[in-house]
Structure formats: C-alpha cells, structure tokens
C-alpha cells in the first residue's frame, strides 16, 4: 500500500509540474500571466493594438503604421532616435455593398467587344 501512495504522489507531482510548465510556456509566448479560464474556453478579446503596414526605408530604418483602436500613427524606427511622423490618422472605413434586390426584369446584356460568327467543329479544326 505504501508503494501505491508513493507512486500516486509522484504522479500528482509530475502532473503539477506539467501544468506549471504549460502555464510558463504560455506566459513566455503571450506575456499573459493570468490564470483565467476565459482565454482558454471563450473568445479572446479583439486586439486594440496592431501593426497595419511596415516598409523598410534602408538597412536600419523602418516605417511602421500602427493602429490603436480606430486611429493610426506613422512611426520611423531604427535610427538614432525613433520618430513619430504623423499621428491621429483616421482609419478608412470599408463600406460593404448592400445586397441587390431581386428584380422582376432580367438585366440587359451588354454587347460583346469582339464579335464573330459561331463556327462548327469542322471549321475550327481545319483552320
């Protein structure tokens, strides 16, 4: 019976070490050290900060277009000093087209740009 309890204790210790290792790995990758179950089983919150675009100016410097909420900022990094070039750039809204209502009349077909007479199979092969 004592051997069984020792093995059970070792198994629980290994399970706890595995959970702690997974938590540490997650904290290292995401920087989030919280132990909430919401991130594991629910939808993650929408990120507020992102890099919209980036362009390389030369070997050292980069232009970054950073979006925070609904505002973008243009930043140059990599030189002796990082520089904010432009702030409070409004994010362009993409409007989705409204679905077209089903018309009772069919749409008129436009005439093709290049027209030719239809050919039969024998005419197409013999050319």
């Amino acid at each position: 019976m004592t051997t069984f309890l020792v093995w059970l204790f070792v198994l629980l210790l290994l399970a706890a070490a595995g959970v702690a290792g997974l938590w540490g790995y997650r904290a290292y990758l995401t920087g989030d050290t919280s132990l909430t179950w919401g991130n594991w089983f629910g939808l993650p919150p929408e990120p507020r900060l992102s890099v919209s675009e980036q362009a390389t100016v030369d070997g050292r410097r980069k232009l970054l277009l950073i979006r925070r909420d609904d505002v973008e900022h243009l930043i140059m990094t990599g030189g002796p000093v990082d520089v904010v070039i432009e702030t409070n750039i409004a994010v362009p809204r993409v409007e989705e087209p409204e679905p077209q209502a089903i018309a009772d009349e069919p749409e008129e077909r436009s005439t093709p740009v290049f027209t030719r007479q239809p050919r039969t199979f024998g005419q197409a092969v013999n050319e």
Side-chain angles (χ1 to χ4, degrees), residues 22-102:
L22 287 174
W23 175 78
Y25 181 69
R26 179 176 161 263
Y28 177 74
L29 288 180
T30 63
D32 182 21
T33 58
S34 64
L35 289 175
T36 59
W37 294 104
N39 292 344
W40 293 19
F41 297 109
L43 293 174
E46 188 171 326
R48 295 180 55 206
L49 183 67
S50 67
V51 176
S52 298
E53 292 182 37
Q54 65 180 0
T56 303
V57 176
D58 56 22
R60 293 178 55 190
R61 295 179 291 179
K62 279 187 179 180
L63 281 173
L64 300 171
L65 188 62
I66 297 179
R67 178 179 294 178
R68 178 194 47 85
D69 296 333
D70 288 336
V71 179
E72 291 183 337
H73 306 282
L74 184 62
I75 300 171
M76 183 182 295
T77 62
V81 177
D82 296 340
V83 180
V84 176
I85 296 174
E86 188 175 352
T87 61
N88 297 329
I89 304 169
V91 177
R93 296 281 182 193
V94 178
E95 295 182 15
E96 296 181 12
E98 295 180 13
Q100 295 178 348
I102 299 174

Side-chain angles (χ1 to χ4, degrees), residues 94-113:
V94 178
E95 295 182 15
E96 296 181 12
E98 295 180 13
Q100 295 178 348
I102 299 174
D104 295 336
E105 300 175 12
E107 295 181 15
E108 294 182 24
R109 292 187 179 181
S110 61
T111 59
V113 177

